[in-house]
């Protein structure tokens, strides 16, 4: 009779081991594992319940059952520990995966900035003229009426002043320069009576109704050469050489008569349109020509104001708009684009 009970208990232990193993495989949270332990190995668990019947066994049968029961208990406890360790490891790995940096992924490209189109155009101009022996000369943006107009042969009331309306300060006679030409006087007064070869770049201001081809602030690059034997041929040679370097060898150019109070004679220089090669397109307004700059021989009156004797010295001067030149070169249709900083344009040019 005792033997039957022993067999029965051993069977129950075996069943418990199977059930517990299967249940453990399903428990995949810490909480589920705690519940599993309570159910199978806890003080009120199934193993305890089975062992409670141990008392009904004859003394000599108890050790075997006890031994098997301990084995089952040890095996299940080991299994639980393994399962807990595995689960902790998996959790750690998941965290590591979620937080890790994948060094094999391609990097995000950094957007490199670049110099503004105006700055680049100015630097191209500087490079070409400095190679021809011109120095860069800085002159102020806030000027007097005297420098901006009078010393350039435009006394008060001179009709040519109408070409250049500007911004006035609250100090009478102090204005924002309308062109870089007053820099000619500054350079001459500094160097007289030495020969001069300078370019004068900088911002100028005009009281304009702003539209696609007019801004109230823009850049100019002025040029001035003064010496004892300077002729109109020198002016043409320098400017044709400049056009060829700026826009490519073989540019056609033409000089049209013009008028500026501070040069005599005065011209405007055109080059054949760089976009259509003179065929005619919207940028050159179907003329085949682009207006590039104003120029002329320095008016003797201006030389005198600058401190040079016009019977001994002569000179030429020119003034160009670098933005207009960039506009033409890149086929940009609106000068306002230079200051609105629209990324679509800045990326294109
Ligand atoms: N200052 C003139 C302008 O702004 C350009 C110019 C400069 C013309 C030098 C002749 C000589 O229109």
């Amino acid at each position: 009779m005792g033997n039957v009970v022993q067999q029965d208990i051993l069977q129950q232990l075996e069943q418990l081991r199977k059930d517990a193993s299967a249940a453990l495989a399903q428990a995949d949270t810490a909480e589920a594992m705690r519940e599993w332990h309570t159910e199978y190995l806890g003080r009120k668990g199934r193993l305890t319940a089975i062992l409670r019947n141990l008392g009904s066994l004859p003394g000599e049968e108890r050790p075997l059952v006890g031994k098997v029961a301990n084995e089952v208990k040890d095996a299940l406890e080991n299994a639980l520990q393994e399962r807990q360790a595995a689960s902790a490891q998996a959790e750690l790995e998941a965290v590591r995966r979620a937080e890790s940096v994948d060094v094999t992924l391609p990097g995000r490209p950094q957007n490199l900035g670049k110099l503004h189109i105006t700055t680049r155009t100015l630097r191209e101009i500087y490079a070409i003229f400095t190679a021809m022996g011109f120095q860069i000369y800085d002159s102020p943006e806030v000027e007097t009426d005297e420098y901006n107009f009078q010393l350039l042969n435009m006394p008060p009331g001179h009709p040519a002043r109408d070409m250049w309306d500007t911004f006035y300060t609250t100090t009478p006679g102090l204005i924002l320069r309308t062109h870089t030409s007053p820099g000619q006087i500054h350079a001459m007064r500094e160097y007289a009576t030495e020969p001069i070869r300078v370019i004068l770049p900088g911002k100028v201001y005009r009281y304009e109704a702003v539209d696609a081809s007019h801004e109230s602030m823009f850049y100019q690059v002025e040029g001035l050469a003064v010496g004892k034997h300077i002729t109109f041929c020198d002016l043409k040679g320098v400017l044709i050489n400049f056009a060829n370097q700026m826009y490519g060898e073989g540019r056609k150019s033409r000089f049209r008569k013009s008028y500026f109070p501070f040069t005599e004679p005065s011209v405007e220089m055109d080059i054949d349109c760089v976009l259509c090669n003179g065929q005619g397109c919207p940028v050159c307004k179907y003329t085949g020509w682009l207006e590039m700059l104003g120029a002329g021989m320095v008016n003797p009156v201006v030389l005198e104001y600058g401190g040079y004797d016009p019977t001994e010295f002569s000179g030429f001067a020119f003034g160009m708009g670098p933005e207009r030149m960039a506009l033409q070169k890149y086929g940009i249709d609106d000068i306002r684009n230079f200051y609105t900083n629209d990324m679509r344009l800045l990326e294109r040019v």
Side-chain angles (χ1 to χ4, degrees):
M1 141 77 183
N3 215 298
V4 173
V5 176
Q6 186 193 42
Q7 284 308 314
D8 192 34
I9 294 181
L10 287 176
Q11 249 168 38
Q12 285 177 29
L13 285 171
E14 177 56 19
Q15 190 61 46
L16 172 72
R17 200 184 57 73
K18 277 191 192 148
D19 289 354
S21 297
L24 185 61
Q26 301 299 312
D28 43 24
T29 63
E31 177 63 19
M33 289 179 215
R34 248 192 319 278
E35 279 169 15
W36 176 89
H37 187 265
T38 311
E39 181 175 349
Y40 293 98
L41 303 175
R43 264 193 313 118
K44 293 178 184 165
R46 281 174 55 180
L47 182 65
T48 316
I50 294 170
L51 294 178
R52 209 166 283 140
N53 297 328
L54 221 56
S56 61
L57 284 178
E60 72 274 14
E61 290 183 3
R62 282 182 205 162
L64 176 63
V65 174
K67 185 172 169 256
V68 172
N70 275 334
E71 279 169 10
V72 169
K73 191 177 176 211
D74 285 350
L76 289 179
E77 262 165 4
N78 284 340
L80 176 65
Q81 263 171 27
E82 264 169 41
R83 183 100 178 94
Q84 279 170 336
S87 147
Q89 184 65 28
E91 216 167 281
L92 198 68
E93 225 122 76
V95 171
R96 208 178 280 155
R97 246 197 316 280
E99 291 177 354
S100 70
V101 175
D102 184 348
V103 293
T104 65
L105 281 175
R108 289 190 198 104
Q110 288 288 322
N111 241 339
L112 270 192
K114 59 182 173 188
L115 292 173
H116 192 276
I117 172 102
T118 304
T119 308
R120 276 184 283 140
T121 309
L122 283 169
R123 289 186 182 184
E124 273 176 66
I125 297 171
Y126 300 164
I128 296 168
F129 281 108
T130 51
M132 287 194 272
F134 285 76
Q135 276 177 277
I136 298 173
Y137 190 91
D138 255 336
S139 70
E141 287 175 28
V142 179
E143 273 294 2
T144 58
D145 182 277
E146 189 190 15
Y147 270 80
N148 196 76
F149 294 118
Q150 294 169 42
L151 297 172
L152 293 170
N153 198 23
M154 282 179 275
H158 193 289
R161 285 189 178 218
D162 288 354
M163 297 200 287
W164 296 283
D165 199 4
T166 188
F167 297 100
Y168 298 85
T169 68
T170 47
T171 310
L174 212 57
I175 60 171
L176 299 189
R177 64 176 176 191
T178 57
H179 50 177
T180 42
S181 300
Q184 290 187 33
I185 305 289
H186 288 292
M188 283 193 271
R189 288 190 168 177
E190 180 171 342
Y191 293 122
T193 53
E194 295 297 317
I196 296 179
R197 245 184 283 173
V198 290
I199 54 169
L200 309 115
K203 295 192 203 84
V204 301
Y205 302 84
R206 302 248 174 119
Y207 182 66
E208 294 273 9
V210 174
D211 64 25
S213 46
H214 297 89
E215 259 290 2
S216 53
M217 182 202 80
F218 56 96
Y219 276 87
Q220 281 193 338
V221 178
E222 186 92 5
L224 173 70
V226 179
K228 284 202 168 156
H229 306 286
I230 292 191
T231 69
F232 197 83
C233 287
D234 298 314
L235 178 151
K236 285 183 75 175
V238 164
L239 293 179
I240 290 170
N241 182 26
F242 168 73
N244 279 326
Q245 292 198 53
M246 190 71 189
Y247 293 104
E249 213 51 55
R251 268 315 16 127
K252 281 195 210 119
S253 56
R254 70 175 185 187
F255 291 83
R256 286 179 288 113
K257 65 182 163 52
S258 186
Y259 172 75
F260 300 102
F262 34 91
T263 48
E264 181 61 34
S266 302
V267 290
E268 270 169 66
M269 181 186 181
D270 299 337
I271 54 166
D272 58 334
C273 179
V274 289
L275 291 175
C276 64
N277 279 317
Q279 298 306 298
C281 71
V283 171
C284 63
K285 301 199 181 75
Y286 301 98
T287 62
W289 294 98
L290 294 175
E291 196 184 305
M292 203 173 72
L293 48 81
M297 298 306 288
V298 180
N299 191 308
V301 174
V302 175
L303 279 176
E304 220 168 331
Y305 285 143
Y308 290 84
D309 177 354
T311 62
E312 233 186 301
F313 288 89
S314 57
F316 67 79
F318 56 86
M320 60 181 79
E323 281 128 339
R324 162 109 65 85
M325 294 161 77
L327 213 90
Q328 295 164 345
K329 197 166 170 175
Y330 293 93
I332 303 166
D333 56 6
D334 195 322
I335 194 166
R336 289 170 290 192
N337 280 328
F338 284 95
Y339 298 103
T340 50
N341 286 331
D342 186 325
M343 285 305 286
R344 287 167 298 185
L345 176 86
L346 295 179
E347 274 162 12
R348 181 167 77 78
V349 296

